[in-house]
Amino acid sequence: MTNVQAPGPQTVGVLALQGDFREHREMLEAMGHRAIEIRKPAQLEGIDALIIPGGESTTIARLILSNGFQQPLRDFCASGKPTWGTCAGAILLAKEVDRLDRPGIETMAIRVRRNAFGRQVDSFEEEIAIEGIDGGPFRAVFIRAPVIERVDPPARAIARLEDGTVVAARQGNLLATSFHPELTRDPRLHAYFLTIGAPQGAAK
């Protein structure tokens, strides 16, 4: 259980330009929410929250630009509605990223290093404690994962590995995780995410 009561059924968008959007949609639907795969900017207008999934960050960044998503996504982040980037999504939310050859969404006051844990063969799982999540450790799945190298106010770290590496951060209604909660059967982080709505402009 999370230590904040999750809201009732929500309409949650999952950016579906590339990556593992299907797994997020299936998790949300299993929780009783309506999940919409977002492929056009106009679809952002009818949703309560948004997930930017893992995948190939350079490809998603290119598709965000070519499909006219950059400013609509920035506006959504500033709206106060819950917005969550997982793995590649965290890279795209960060204001600073190493070796990303085009701009992402750039709304969170974090610096992210891509592929920090190595290649696909270096993927791993680890039990971590996450601020705001009750019920014991969360099993985090890391696949070609980034690390959050720096967290500046108003963002704050909410989860670390044993060596102190930051793997999750929150800034008002914005959430970034280096790992893939959608690849587990544990809905606690998705439930927590839907509670982090903020007053308009709180993410700025």
Side-chain angles (χ1 to χ4, degrees):
M1 297 291 291
T2 61
N3 58 11
V4 178
Q5 181 65 41
Q10 304 285 297
T11 299
V12 184
V14 184
L15 191 66
L17 301 179
Q18 191 268 342
D20 56 346
F21 51 86
R22 177 177 59 84
E23 290 85 351
H24 279 291
R25 176 176 55 79
E26 291 174 349
M27 173 74 83
L28 291 162
E29 289 173 344
M31 296 168 65
H33 301 291
R34 181 186 180 209
I36 298 175
E37 294 180 0
I38 303 294
R39 294 186 171 87
K40 296 180 180 179
Q43 292 177 283
L44 295 171
E45 297 177 6
I47 60 176
D48 301 310
L50 175 68
I51 296 174
I52 303 162
E56 174 49 54
S57 56
T58 54
T59 299
I60 299 175
R62 174 176 58 80
L63 292 170
I64 283 173
L65 292 172
S66 64
N67 287 278
F69 265 105
Q70 188 185 60
Q71 192 58 50
L73 286 171
R74 288 174 173 174
D75 292 342
F76 192 91
C77 289
S79 73
K81 294 181 179 181
T83 307
W84 180 12
T86 62
C87 199
I91 293 168
L92 294 166
L93 285 179
K95 287 188 175 180
E96 294 185 46
V97 183
D98 75 316
R99 296 180 293 112
L100 188 63
D101 62 357
R102 65 204 75 215
I105 305 166
E106 301 177 334
T107 56
M108 281 192 77
I110 57 176
R111 174 177 170 79
V112 172
R113 178 158 53 94
R114 300 171 65 232
N115 300 331
F117 294 107
R119 300 174 297 167
Q120 188 99 2
V121 295
D122 300 308
S123 301
F124 66 99
E125 299 182 17
E126 185 163 327
E127 302 278 346
I128 61 173
I130 304 174
E131 179 185 319
I133 303 294
D134 288 341
F138 190 96
R139 189 151 191 87
V141 179
F142 295 85
I143 302 173
R144 294 182 63 199
V147 298
I148 300 172
E149 293 187 311
R150 196 178 73 242
V151 181
D152 296 323
R156 70 179 192 276
I158 63 168
R160 299 175 184 265
L161 300 181
E162 286 190 3
D163 65 3
T165 300
V166 177
V167 292
R170 178 179 170 185
Q171 179 180 318
N173 59 298
L174 306 180
L175 181 66
T177 59
S178 297
F179 50 92
H180 289 267
E182 75 283 1
L183 298 181
T184 74
R185 294 183 178 180
D186 189 338
R188 289 179 295 163
L189 197 49
H190 283 75
Y192 168 75
F193 157 65
L194 293 175
T195 71
I196 66 171
Q200 187 167 347
K204 295 181 179 180

